[in-house]
Amino acid sequence: MIPLNPLGRFLRPGLLFALSVFLTGCNSAILNPKGQIGHDEKTLLITATVLMLLVVVPVIIMTLAFAWKYRATNTKARYEPKWSHSTAIEVVVWSIPCMIVLVLAVLTWRSSHALDPYRPLESDKKPVVIEAISLDWKWLFIYPEENIATVNEITFPVNTPLNFKITSDSVMNAFFIPHLGSMIYSMTGMETKLHLIANETGQFPGMSSHYSGAGFSKMHFTANSVTEAEYQAWLTKVRAQSTPMDKAAFATLVNDKNHDWHPVTYFGTTEGGLFDWVIAKHMGDNNHYGMDHKAMSHDGAAGESHEGHDMPANAHEGHDAAAPSGDAAAAPADAAAAEHAEHTADEHAAAGHAGHAGSGE
């Protein structure tokens, strides 16, 4: 049997070598950002980690030191079985963590506003607007100002703000370009926004970072950061395609529920308002997502009714025929009208707006 100490001395260099080999293959996009938002988030991540390590590292060191000093075989260690309190220790173990939490709170508050994905980026260049729609299982990108569309590829000029408008025609997904920064969800019947910028040229992988179905692992795309001249050449190449992106082409794309990676596809023209149409078609009647709520005009023809409150066409006629004339009849009629109006308001309020899909603003 090999003693533990010689075995440890033998395994330690091997474990360090294996760890070094594994780490050489790591290329974390989050820790290697290529855009301003990514750089700011990396700084925030490192700062928060260092602040927390100010507590974690001393605790680990003291745990090991105390375990060694007060081991059973150390007869020189002080034995104080009735010790229970130390004001100095209490001050240290409470004051330092409280200060760190305070610093983290201020840092989190400021960065939450500074890195808000809905906050437009300041730049002297005109932003590129890209409308992203997640499908099963691919990404459709519409450039409304350029009148083109692509599948599983976006191209944009370097050092230019990117204004993403994002929605889904299927289940919820998560739009993420790790090298550039923040992740945000795409949701059916809703519009979310994301503002990014690339500080360097290159090809950056994009993905749906949350599981969304059988073809989820193939739901990735390429984000190309290029020079202005290369961007204009790319626009010319896409516009040369004769295939338009309209409602018919969109339906064909939706029905192609690919389980393998969908190839990059270009559309030379786009139908105006397609992105808003995708959102609107999931919102239901009267803009209540998931509800079949018909609007009713109180000044409409006789016989119209609220859902669940059928009223015969001659209901009002019967009341009018039986009602006495004069001021005595006016009071009951006014009271009935007020009661009906109050009931209608309460019914509409109770219906709520659960599932209501706004613009995401």
Side-chain angles (χ1 to χ4, degrees):
M1 181 175 179
I2 302 176
L4 293 179
N5 287 341
L7 181 62
R9 287 195 296 269
F10 174 76
L11 291 177
R12 193 178 298 115
L15 291 174
L16 291 176
F17 175 76
L19 182 61
S20 301
V21 171
F22 289 140
L23 289 177
T24 56
C26 293
N27 183 21
S28 174
I30 296 177
L31 298 179
N32 185 28
K34 303 299 182 181
Q36 186 59 48
I37 300 299
H39 278 292
D40 293 344
E41 291 177 343
K42 174 186 174 181
T43 301
L44 176 62
L45 178 63
I46 293 176
T47 302
T49 302
V50 170
L51 286 172
M52 290 185 286
L53 287 177
L54 293 178
V55 171
V56 174
V57 172
V59 168
I60 293 175
I61 293 175
M62 287 189 295
T63 300
L64 297 175
F66 291 171
W68 175 258
K69 181 176 180 180
Y70 296 104
R71 67 191 187 279
T73 57
N74 185 12
T75 58
K76 296 181 180 180
R78 289 191 301 173
Y79 178 62
E80 299 181 9
K82 295 184 179 181
W83 181 89
S84 61
H85 180 75
S86 171
T87 302
I89 293 178
E90 291 286 344
V91 170
V92 171
V93 300
W94 283 105
S95 61
I96 295 178
C98 286
M99 288 188 292
I100 292 176
V101 169
L102 180 61
V103 174
L104 285 173
V106 174
L107 187 65
T108 302
W109 175 268
R110 297 180 61 182
S111 61
S112 295
H113 291 278
L115 298 175
D116 181 2
Y118 277 53
R119 181 178 181 179
L121 302 178
E122 297 181 1
S123 175
D124 56 352
K125 294 185 178 181
K126 181 182 178 181
V128 174
V129 179
I130 303 177
E131 297 171 339
I133 305 174
S134 60
L135 307 172
D136 294 337
W137 281 270
K138 51 196 164 285
W139 290 94
L140 172 64
F141 299 103
I142 301 174
Y143 290 67
E145 297 179 354
E146 307 294 348
N147 195 33
I148 62 170
T150 64
V151 174
N152 284 344
E153 180 184 282
I154 55 174
T155 299
F156 45 85
V158 67
N159 295 320
T160 301
L162 305 176
N163 294 358
F164 287 98
K165 299 168 64 179
I166 305 169
T167 190
S168 174
D169 190 61
S170 179
V171 298
M172 183 172 69
N173 284 276
F175 180 86
F176 191 27
I177 306 176
H179 281 98
L180 298 187
S182 304
M183 177 201 77
I184 198 163
Y185 288 106
S186 65
M187 294 174 280
T188 306
M190 296 186 67
E191 174 190 327
T192 53
K193 293 186 178 182
L194 179 64
H195 296 84
L196 299 174
I197 191 171
N199 295 342
E200 304 177 21
T201 58
Q203 289 188 339
F204 312 128
M207 67 185 77
S208 175
S209 56
H210 287 191
Y211 179 78
S212 60
F216 155 76
S217 61
K218 303 298 182 180
M219 196 171 175
H220 52 82
F221 61 92
T222 302
N224 299 309
S225 175
V226 298
T227 63
E228 182 63 34
E230 292 173 330
Y231 177 63
Q232 294 301 325
W234 180 80
L235 290 178
T236 301
K237 181 177 70 172
V238 176
R239 287 171 179 151
Q241 304 300 316
S242 58
T243 307
M245 171 46 65
D246 52 18
K247 292 184 177 67
F250 182 83
T252 301
L253 196 62
V254 168
N255 292 331
D256 179 16
K257 297 185 181 297
N258 57 296
H259 287 70
D260 201 355
W261 184 73
H262 194 285
V264 173
T265 309
Y266 296 148
F267 300 90
T269 59
T270 60
E271 180 177 340
L274 188 62
F275 180 83
D276 294 331
W277 171 78
V278 172
I279 296 177
K281 74 173 186 172
H282 292 288
M283 295 178 68
D285 295 326
N286 202 25
N287 293 341
H288 284 71
Y289 179 57
M291 296 176 62
D292 188 14
H293 186 82
K294 304 292 185 182
M296 189 201 86
S297 172
H298 289 281
D299 298 328
E304 290 186 349
S305 62
H306 287 286
E307 186 175 351
H309 293 273
D310 296 330
M311 297 171 62
N314 62 350
H316 290 285
E317 294 177 4
H319 282 289
D320 293 340
S325 60
D327 295 339
D334 293 342
E339 181 181 358
H340 177 69
E342 181 180 358
H343 173 72
T344 302
D346 292 342
E347 182 182 57
H348 286 185
H353 293 271
H356 175 71
S359 64
E361 288 287 343

